[in-house]
Each structure stands twice: as structure tokens, then as C-alpha cells.
Amino acid sequence: MDNLDLINSLNEEQRAPVLQTEGAVLVTAGAGSGKTRVLTHRIAYLIQNGVHPYNILAITFTNKAAAEMRERVEKITYDCQDMWVCTFHSMCVRILRQFADKLGYTKNFSIYGEQERESIVKQIMQSFNIDEDQKKTMTYHIGNAKNLNLTPLQYRAEFGYLRDIDNICKVYENYQIELKKNNAFDFDDLLNKTYELLETNAEAREKYQDRFHYIHIDEFQDTNRVQYDIARILSQKYGNIMVVGDEDQCIYGWRGANIQNIFDFKEDFKDVKIYKLEQNYRCTKNIIDVANAVIKHNEQRLDKVLYTNNDEGDSVELFVGYNDVQEANFISRRVKELVDSGFEYKDIAVLMRYNALSRSIEEGLLNANIPYKVLGGMKFYERAEIKNVLAYLKVLVNNQDNESLLRIINFPRRGIGSTSINNIRALADSQNMSIFQYLKDYAEFLPTNIKNKVIPFRDLIIELTSIQNTKPLLDVVKDVITKTKMREAYMEKNTTEDENRILNIDSLLASVDAYAKTYPDDSLAEYLQSITLLSDADEQDDSQNSVVLATVHAVKGLEFKAVFVVGLEDENFPIIRDNGQDDIEEERRLFYVAVTRAKQKLYLTYCQNRFKFGQIKRFMPSRFLDELNGLKNIKRVSFNRGYNLDNVNTQNASSSNYQSSYSYQNNYDNDNKFDYSQGFNIANNEINKPTVQTTAFSFESKSTDGFVVGAKVEHPRFGVGVIVDTTKLNSANVISVDFEDVGVKNLTFDVSPLTLI
């Protein structure tokens, strides 16, 4: 593609920032407006106009996005071999691999995640006799301190009013000491230590300032202050930096993302050129109307309004259910209808504010035989058997990695108990050595019963370490699995679970093989780095034809043909805290992100009653629904007792259309305003108290006298519960009971051994 074709393939909004190649550029890009297209075309334009790929840096927020960006640029230019296209963390690892010695680390350092952090914090707390119940507090404050890039001493000065500040800073200080001893960085340190390096070391700073003539940052709204400062330092020599983001999609404040970075960029960089991308290519007009109607209520934003040339599309459906069981049944029915009309299951997503809301939806999908997957569950690389293999590999690369070594010193079982391990660790600490170095130097001097167990382990690690650079990557991993007898360890009990563990190990080998074929020159250390830095989005499997259940955070950057946004009640979405307007604005941005994941179909659901904190609670509709006042493209849906969903025009409907356990219906009034009052009678426009219908549904083979909504029942397996709904699913009569111990269960009434209490 030549220059002219490249530029002509963009719309007018996109073309302007691509041609503005010099100086500081801020692009505020609405959802689905083609920001990745702008970035890739700008990079391609630079290359076609003589800029060497070596001098271009492109930063994204997932490895998957980086790979896609590189692939797009290569299709246009056929030349980006020497260009860095990576995440912030990957970039920092590359820099630290070159200069870690300047900070007192070796270049083969390990990278620790949340599990390693929690393990070290727990050990430190035990050494100081701090109650284990405080672990969550300690890990939170360590993370908070690092997000703010504060040392323990600085954190004490900033947050001295905290009740546990002494213990927090003591644990934080010793946590950093332990990381250094293990020659390890955690994820936060990858950023903070890179910033420290660039600030204090002229050689490193000048090397990368000289290299990167043009810097591009995607998803700029998700940067924290340290990332912002790293970018500022790198761009100081040439001043050519382009950031693309959307303040309306800043949803990671809880992990340090700072929406203020977008506004500071305008002040910190001289003569900033600002461009807006407002044309959405993803969604229908009706979906865009919903997104705009809500997000306009935020104050922390640049003034932009999404528009689209796409079709108007189907009306957005708003379902109001009596409880979460009805909500789940509505979703299952709509999913079936979508699939019958030509959608695939993987085209559909059910999005919620937090994971706990998925339980009733999962049960509804199971009952309807609808395949689904939950994003953000147990990730492949967090499975115990996979972490065991990886721990061996990490020790081969970094013998100082105590955390990984402690994981495998007695796996597979060697009879090395916790007392022996603690003694060895204490001896190693007394000599200021890593555990492995101590075993190399002093294992022969340990008591005989311990010596005879640890020496074979030590010698195995020495043997495996010696082969890591002499064999292909796949053969190294195979040798680790074979020589440690990893498979045999999982064959002892011959259970289905252990068979699955073995299959997972085989899957790991397959992934190593695929990686080695793609990156034949990469070392074991580089492979470990690649999987350590994987994000949630990178691990998503698009090949599985299943409905996606996920939190809104988990689907950032994804899109689906049909989206259900569920649990739209105050307290659930938005989650209401005491931190004021900033929190509500981030919650509103979350809703905006959820809505704009939908390409063709959007469904919003709200329940008047929901099981939460061990009891059924009554909820008010989300304030975001009230902000949709005046929209004409929302179709209200009522739930019928016989499992028939009737689409009704509520302006002309009567209360008899809604035949649930209660005779009321929450709906919009004649001005399309959502009425928060319970018991709204559409026919005569009066507010009535909800009244329980006492007529039970009809069963042929079993008497239903007394089995009505609100009745207390007992089940021999599930215990005592309350009937919350009755319905018909296909030919089966289903009764929904909220049990005290196990939550809501949908039971086939005719065969369920329920008794009235």
C-alpha cells in the first residue's frame, strides 16, 4: 500500500493525527472509532516516509494487542522487524535485562506475580508474629505504595495516620529485601525500577532516548503515574510522542490507572495537538444512543459525542424481573432465540459488575443446555501442575529464586518435610545465601536424614541447569518433566482429576512447541518472560463456541454481536461507596464500556429482588437506567408465568401483561421515564402496593396446594428454603427455591421431594 492509498483508506478524523508526525499529539478516541487503525497507519506512514522501524516504539496494554498491531503494520509495510511493539511491562523487562546490574540485580531475574507476593508477605508476617488475618491489608498497601512509587519511608510519611502503618511499612520493607535476595521483581517493580534506572543512570537513559525517535502509546487512559513518567523521560530528546486514549473508558482506577494523565499531557508537553475520533464503526445507532445518554453525565471528560453511520438496528431491550431466577431464564430464552436466528454462542456475552452475580445465570444456562465459559476463572498458567513445571524452569534460569525452589523441593514427594525446609531456609539466611547456593555448598554437612533427601534434588537441578542452553527449548521442558517424574506423580491415585492434570501438562508442552516454532531463537528465560506477562485478555480462547460470562473489566477491548448487561441495580451496578463523585464516574465509565461491547443487540436487565449476602434483598433500579430517560429506542419486556416473553408497548399495556409473583411492573411512564416506585399500575397510572398472587400453577401428577411464592419448604438434601418463582420450561414444571445453605435451585416439581413447612 503506497502513501496515497494509506491515507485515503482513513476517514477525515483519522487522517489528521496520522499526518501530524512531529511533536506531541493527543488523540481522544471514542469506543469503536478505529484508534488501533490510526496507530498502525501512522506507524506505517512513518516507515514509508523514511523512518527506520528501529526508531519507533509502540506500547499497547496486552501482548495480544501488540501482536495484532505488528501484524497489521507488516501487512502494509512488510518491514517492522526491529520495531518495539510491546506492553509497558514487556518494554521494562527488555530494558532491565540490559541494565539490571546497575540496580544491584543480575540479568536473569525472576518475575513474581500475586501468588508469590502473598507467599512472601505471609512468611514475613509470621516472622513478626503479625496476625495472618492482616495479610490482605498488607498486600493491598504494598500494591498501593508501589502504584504511587513510594518507598516504605515515604509511604509512612504520606499515610502515617493509618492504624497499622508500623506493621505495613515493616512488612513492605522486608518484602523488598526478600525480592532482592531472590533476584526478583514483582510486576510493580518492573515499572518502578525502570523509572528509577532511567532517572538515575545516564547510560540507560541516553541509550533509549537516542533510539526512540517516535513513541506511540495506546489505551493511554489506563496508564498509571509511573508509566506516564517513563514515557515522558523516553520522549525528552525528540519530543515526538502520540498518545491515544479515551477518558470515557478509564476503568482501572483501582489498580492505579490515572485519568488525570490525559489532562496533564495537555499541560506537560509543549504545543500539544489534540484530535477527536467520534465516529463509531462497531455499534448500531440505538446502542450508541444509550452510551451517549449515560456518559454525558460525567464531568471528568473531554467534550466528544459518538456517532455512527451504521443502521439504526434493533431496539435495546430492558428486562425487569422479580428476581435473579427470572433474569437467568430471560437470558437463556433470548440466547436460544439468537442462536436459532443464526448467531453462534461465542457471539454472545453476559456482562456483570462483579463475578458473584454469575451464579444464577450459570444455573439458568445449564438448565437450558447452553454452553458457556466464565472469563477470569482459573487461568491455565495458574493451575497447580503447570506452576510446578514452571517453578522448575524458573529455578534453572535463576538459581536464587527461593519462592520457586520452595515450591518444588518436595514435589514430587521426596520426604522433605516443612520442618526440614524451614531449617534449611534459616541456615541459608544465616549465611546470606539463596537456598540453592546453600545446598550446593553445604548439603553434605546437613544431618544424614536430611542430606540423603536434598542432595539428589540438588544434583537434579544442577543437571537440568546445565542443559538449558545446550538443547532446544521444547527438549529442555520435556527433560524437566521426564527427569522429575512429574507425570508419574499424578498417576498414583488414577483419578479423573489427576488424568486432567496430565493432559494439562501435555497442553503446556504443545504451547512450548508452538512458541519455539514462532520464536526459534528465544531462550528459556524469554519463554518464561512471555507467559509471566500474559494478561487476562491474552489467555482468552476464541475458538470455543460458548456464551461468555464475564465482568466488564475482563472484556475491555473485546466486542460481541449481542451483549446482556445484567444486575443493573444501585449497589450492584453502580457499586456505591463513600468516595463520592470520582467513584460514580468510574462506575458510569464501566457501564459505557459494557454497552459499547455490543455490535448488534443490547439487553439490559434489572431485578427487584436478588440473593445477596446470604439473604434476599430488595433493590432499586440503577441510576444509569434513569439517565436513559427520553430515549425512544428502548423496548420494555415483561415476564409471563408460562415462560413466554411478551414484548409490550408499556404506554398501551395493562398490568395483566406481567404475570409474575407480584402484580406490579416497573416501567417507563408516558415521558419514557423509568419509575422507581414499586407497584406501578400502567393502566390507570396509579401506584399500588405489590400483592402476592396465591394461585399456584397447575401440575397434573402432584398436588400443589400451598406451593406458592413465599411458602417455606424443606428438601432432604438442600435443607430449608423459600419458594421464589414457579414457571414452565418446555414440558417440565419448574419451581425455584432459595435455600438457606445452597442458594437458589431450580427443581422439577413433580419429582422433587419437597415438603411444606
Side-chain angles (χ1 to χ4, degrees), residues 20-25 42 214 238-242 270-271:
Q20 182 65 51
T21 59
E22 305 303 305
V25 178
R42 187 178 198 262
Y214 294 89
Y238 290 96
N240 300 322
I241 179 170
M242 176 186 189
K270 186 179 178 181
D271 299 325

Side-chain angles (χ1 to χ4, degrees), residues 461-588:
I461 297 299
I462 291 173
E463 177 190 356
L464 292 172
T465 301
S466 68
I467 69 169
Q468 67 166 309
N469 295 319
T470 63
K471 287 187 174 184
L473 176 59
L474 180 60
D475 290 343
V476 173
V477 181
K478 283 182 176 178
D479 279 358
V480 167
I481 292 169
T482 301
K483 293 180 181 294
T484 60
K485 296 182 168 51
M486 190 79 68
R487 282 195 181 87
E488 290 83 345
Y490 291 121
M491 290 179 180
E492 295 176 3
K493 298 179 182 178
N494 199 30
T495 63
T496 301
E497 183 179 6
D498 283 343
E499 288 176 5
N500 288 333
R501 292 181 189 277
I502 294 170
L503 290 174
N504 286 334
I505 291 173
D506 290 339
S507 294
L508 176 65
L509 285 172
S511 76
V512 173
D513 186 33
Y515 181 89
K517 288 175 179 175
T518 306
Y519 308 101
D521 298 328
D522 276 12
S523 65
L524 175 59
E526 288 168 313
Y527 166 71
L528 290 173
Q529 173 184 312
S530 74
I531 60 175
T532 302
L533 296 177
L534 285 175
S535 69
D536 290 351
D538 294 322
E539 293 196 58
Q540 291 167 13
D541 179 10
D542 297 331
S543 63
Q544 187 179 346
N545 189 22
S546 302
V547 173
V548 170
L549 268 63
T551 64
V552 183
H553 286 107
V555 295
K556 178 76 184 306
L558 301 181
E559 59 184 37
F560 304 88
K561 288 183 180 179
V563 168
F564 295 82
V565 184
V566 305
L568 286 168
E569 304 99 25
D570 269 3
E571 295 185 43
N572 292 324
F573 201 167
I575 293 177
I576 299 173
R577 303 184 181 92
D578 297 324
N579 296 335
Q581 184 66 16
D582 286 351
D583 275 346
I584 288 298
E585 292 212 355
E586 180 152 332
E587 292 289 314
R588 190 175 283 112

Side-chain angles (χ1 to χ4, degrees), residues 231-249:
R232 178 180 50 79
I233 292 172
L234 291 176
S235 66
Q236 279 175 348
K237 181 167 186 177
Y238 290 96
N240 300 322
I241 179 170
M242 176 186 189
V243 300
V244 182
D246 182 6
E247 72 286 357
D248 292 336
Q249 296 187 72

Side-chain angles (χ1 to χ4, degrees), residues 241-307:
I241 179 170
M242 176 186 189
V243 300
V244 182
D246 182 6
E247 72 286 357
D248 292 336
Q249 296 187 72
C250 182
I251 61 174
Y252 296 109
W254 50 276
R255 69 182 190 195
N258 189 351
I259 193 172
Q260 190 60 36
N261 287 349
I262 286 182
F263 303 99
D264 288 348
F265 187 88
K266 298 193 308 180
E267 305 300 325
D268 293 345
F269 289 84
K270 186 179 178 181
D271 299 325
V272 176
K273 303 294 189 298
I274 301 175
Y275 300 93
K276 297 179 184 179
L277 301 183
E278 297 175 291
Q279 182 176 354
N280 175 282
Y281 289 91
R282 177 188 301 153
C283 312
T284 64
K285 288 180 180 176
N286 285 337
I287 293 171
I288 292 299
D289 286 346
V290 170
N292 283 332
V294 173
I295 201 63
K296 71 179 183 182
H297 292 274
N298 271 8
E299 296 177 3
Q300 283 188 299
R301 63 189 301 261
L302 302 174
D303 184 27
K304 66 177 183 295
V305 179
L306 280 185
Y307 70 93

Side-chain angles (χ1 to χ4, degrees), residues 328-340:
N329 288 340
F330 166 74
I331 293 168
S332 299
R333 177 62 177 268
R334 280 293 185 256
V335 169
K336 286 286 191 184
E337 291 174 353
L338 288 169
V339 172
D340 288 344

